[in-house]
Structure formats: structure tokens, C-alpha cells
Amino acid sequence: MVEEVIPILRVENAAVAVAWYERLGFAQQWEHRFEPGFPAFVEVARSGVRLFLSEHTGDARPDTLLYLRVHDVDAVADEFGLRAEQMPWGAREFEVRDPDGNRLRVSTPGE
């Protein structure tokens, strides 16, 4: 087992959130509900990065900020009609909000 931290993000509608995170290159791994019609708890993954998306009230709060490093920030920014900016510390990055107000700062490190 590899030790890791997996952020949990609060989402209103897991299906909508999964579709949005797929635009960032994530894919749904699994979904759990205690019973049909109950809130969903979903895992999405991209390479070695995993996120939990939860419809459960109280699991997390909107307006969380995640920093996501990717190989090609420009390709990801294009998916959202945005442009990555060159930062003084060498990285290229942009910030986007998911449908639930969670913020993602997406970056490719400088060389």
C-alpha cells in the first residue's frame, strides 16, 4: 500500500461533478451509496491523483482550493477556454471553479 492523502470535495450532484472532472482528465473509479436514493460518494482518478467527491452534507465545504500539477497545463486550460499564465516562480498555471464552487489551481512546474 502506498501512503497518500486523498482530498474530499463536497458536491451537490456527483454525476454532474464527475462529468466536469472528466474534462480535467479524471475518470470515475467507483461510486458508493448506502441505499438507493442516498447521497453518493465517488472516487475519480487521474494518473496517481485521486479525489473523493461526496454528496454527504458535512463531509467538506465548498470553496476549497486544490493545487493540481499536470504535464501540459495549456491543454487542460484549452478544455475550459482559458489560458495558463506564466508565474514569477516559473510555473504556468490557471485557476478554475468546479460546479460546486471548489477552486482548482492547475499548474505545470517550470524547468
Side-chain angles (χ1 to χ4, degrees), residues 27-96:
Q28 181 173 332
Q29 303 301 297
W30 50 261
E31 177 180 314
H32 175 265
R33 294 176 189 265
F34 285 103
E35 291 184 24
F38 276 39
F41 194 88
V42 178
E43 178 185 305
V44 294
R46 174 195 164 110
S47 301
V49 177
R50 298 191 306 159
L51 300 174
F52 290 154
L53 307 175
S54 177
E55 293 179 351
H56 293 268
T57 304
D59 270 356
R61 65 174 69 204
D63 200 35
T64 296
L65 173 62
L66 298 179
Y67 195 87
L68 176 63
R69 284 188 171 163
V70 298
H71 292 289
D72 186 357
V73 71
D74 294 310
V76 178
D78 285 346
E79 173 64 28
F80 293 92
L82 300 171
R83 292 177 47 106
E85 297 180 23
Q86 186 66 44
M87 306 313 278
W89 49 89
R92 292 184 46 72
E93 61 185 51
F94 72 98
E95 188 169 306
V96 65

